[in-house]
Amino acid sequence: MTYHPPHARENLGLGVLICIHIFICCISLIYLADDRFPIAFDPPTFHIFFDPARLHVAALVVAGFALVSALFAFSSFSFGYFVGFYFYTMVLGYLWLNCFTDLNYDHRLAGISAAAAAVMFLLPALFITSPVRQTFVLSEMAFDRLLTFILLLAVGTIAIGAIYNFRFVGSEDIYDFRDKMESPRLLNYSTGIISSTLLPFAFAGFAARKAYWRAGATLLLLLFLYPITLSKLALFTPLWLVGIFLLSRLFEARIAVVLSLLGPMLVGLVLVYLFHGKAALYLSIVNFRMIAIPSVAMDVYNDFFSRHDLTYFCQISFLKPILHCPYPEPLSIVMERAYKLGNFNGSLFATGGQDKTVYVWTMKSE
């Protein structure tokens, strides 16, 4: 990704762009809360609401949290910048939803906790930039071999996975078949690691080295994961990676990060304005699943752990044998049974491990 040291004018322009992102994020949540709009989900079921009478409260909360966004305008690009901005958007959405939710818990304490957790995460993520001294550095040839090994590993995993499950179905029908799919646990772990981490890493490595044919092969392998997993992640990841690649070629790194969320979200709103109900599918995939659902998860986890036992991180696999755990099943299954909203698999910002409020979160909701 192209990067140049930030200048005052660039910082100002970036700050304005982030303010636009914050505004569009709130507008998107207002649209998603309108249950009269013909869309592919029921907003009240997911506790997404909007009450004009409380708009001033939400505006004040968001305006206060918007001050935190100044950290992005004055910090340099890093991997922490990328991750931090996505987390910031997630917490921003939660603070907005927190002003209107029908779930019953201490909303003020949860909001303060979420904002404080975001700040405590962003400070080191954005400003600790000194690299750890490496004792071992891969040579250029070794790095190439590593990328090739990832491709071969993916091919083998996909071939084995196809033996257990292989089915072409439309994205709207995957839920009719996915729960019936069975495969060994080790294969499930391997497939998840390859689709979410190894193949995207290989694509970035090939793209950075301008090995575009092998980068294309990586995208093709990601698509091949769809018929054996019936996961929307496998279906849309290639499009997402290509989009990020193009943004990194057209814009300065920090602007590309902001546009990677702002752009798809804004497209959804434009499509709604132009085509109304015909844009429901796009809005439900991007504005709802990609951006709103992580914030909804924080709301749900706060509500659940306000009345249930805490985990104290016992859900982490290597700690489970030595810690008493009130939940024998994964939290994603526990949440599905409690709220019937799909498998919310939370960690980091929503563990319920230390307090009655939710601190940190990453998730998959498919």
Side-chain angles (χ1 to χ4, degrees):
M1 182 174 285
T2 304
Y3 173 70
H4 303 284
H7 301 289
R9 182 175 296 179
E10 292 178 355
N11 291 340
L12 178 60
L14 179 62
V16 172
L17 186 65
I18 292 174
C19 289
I20 295 173
H21 170 78
I22 292 170
F23 177 75
I24 294 300
C25 186
C26 296
I27 296 297
S28 177
L29 290 172
I30 292 175
Y31 267 96
L32 294 176
D34 189 352
D35 57 5
R36 297 170 300 173
F37 188 78
I39 199 170
F41 72 98
D42 181 40
T45 299
F46 288 87
H47 311 284
I48 300 178
F49 295 95
F50 172 68
D51 181 3
R54 291 186 56 81
L55 176 60
H56 65 287
V57 176
L60 287 174
V61 171
V62 169
F65 192 60
L67 297 176
V68 178
S69 68
L71 296 174
F72 295 101
F74 294 101
S75 58
S76 300
F77 175 77
S78 64
F79 180 74
Y81 190 101
F82 203 117
V83 175
F85 186 76
Y86 278 56
F87 280 161
Y88 175 84
T89 300
M90 177 194 67
V91 176
L92 171 73
Y94 167 68
L95 292 177
W96 175 273
L97 293 174
N98 186 37
C99 298
F100 307 107
T101 181
D102 63 336
L103 295 175
N104 185 24
Y105 57 89
D106 192 333
H107 299 289
R108 178 178 297 180
L109 177 60
I112 294 173
S113 170
V119 173
M120 297 304 294
F121 178 86
L122 290 175
L123 288 176
L126 297 179
F127 296 105
I128 297 180
T129 57
S130 299
V132 177
R133 183 178 179 181
Q134 293 178 277
T135 57
F136 176 75
V137 180
L138 284 175
S139 65
E140 183 175 342
M141 181 179 295
F143 185 70
D144 281 336
R145 289 175 176 174
L146 173 63
L147 297 179
T148 301
F149 172 75
I150 291 175
L151 290 185
L152 295 176
L153 179 64
V155 169
T157 302
I158 292 170
I160 296 173
I163 297 174
Y164 290 92
N165 302 289
F166 191 88
R167 187 187 298 268
F168 283 107
V169 298
S171 60
E172 68 279 2
D173 299 322
I174 61 175
Y175 303 105
D176 297 332
F177 300 96
R178 194 167 61 184
D179 290 341
K180 302 174 185 177
M181 300 171 64
E182 295 183 0
S183 54
R185 179 176 295 183
L186 180 60
L187 179 61
N188 291 335
Y189 277 118
S190 299
T191 303
I193 293 171
I194 286 170
S195 63
S196 64
T197 305
L198 292 184
L199 284 179
F201 173 79
F203 173 81
F206 289 135
R209 304 173 77 79
K210 298 183 179 180
Y212 297 127
W213 283 106
R214 288 194 286 174
T218 303
L219 298 178
L220 191 61
L221 288 174
L222 280 166
L223 288 175
F224 284 158
L225 285 167
Y226 175 72
I228 68 173
T229 63
L230 297 184
S231 166
K232 289 188 178 73
L233 182 67
L235 189 60
F236 293 107
T237 295
L239 295 176
W240 183 252
L241 291 176
V242 171
I244 295 294
F245 173 74
L246 293 177
L247 285 174
S248 69
R249 289 295 184 266
L250 296 173
F251 300 98
E252 184 259 329
R254 298 178 303 163
I255 292 178
V257 170
V258 178
L259 290 177
S260 69
L261 281 182
L262 172 59
M265 185 166 49
L266 184 58
V267 167
L269 295 180
V270 171
L271 291 176
V272 167
Y273 178 78
L274 294 177
F275 302 106
H276 303 288
K278 295 180 181 179
L281 179 60
Y282 181 95
L283 203 71
S284 65
I285 292 174
V286 176
N287 297 57
F288 171 60
R289 289 184 178 275
M290 186 177 107
I291 297 174
I293 276 291
S295 302
V296 170
M298 292 187 67
D299 193 27
V300 168
Y301 269 68
N302 268 300
D303 179 70
F304 182 85
F305 286 108
S306 68
R307 296 186 300 275
H308 295 82
D309 292 336
L310 307 179
T311 68
Y312 297 102
F313 306 112
C314 71
Q315 78 278 11
I316 300 175
S317 57
F318 66 86
L319 292 179
K320 207 163 193 175
I322 60 177
L323 293 177
H324 168 70
C325 196
Y327 309 103
E329 298 176 312
L331 285 182
S332 59
I333 297 177
V334 173
M335 294 298 170
E336 159 61 15
R337 289 179 176 174
Y339 296 92
K340 306 301 180 183
L341 300 179
N343 293 336
F344 280 3
N345 182 14
S347 60
L348 192 59
F349 269 88
T351 62
Q354 292 289 344
D355 196 279
K356 287 291 183 182
T357 53
V358 177
Y359 283 81
V360 226
W361 178 94
T362 55
M363 66 156 288
K364 296 180 293 184
S365 179
E366 302 171 347

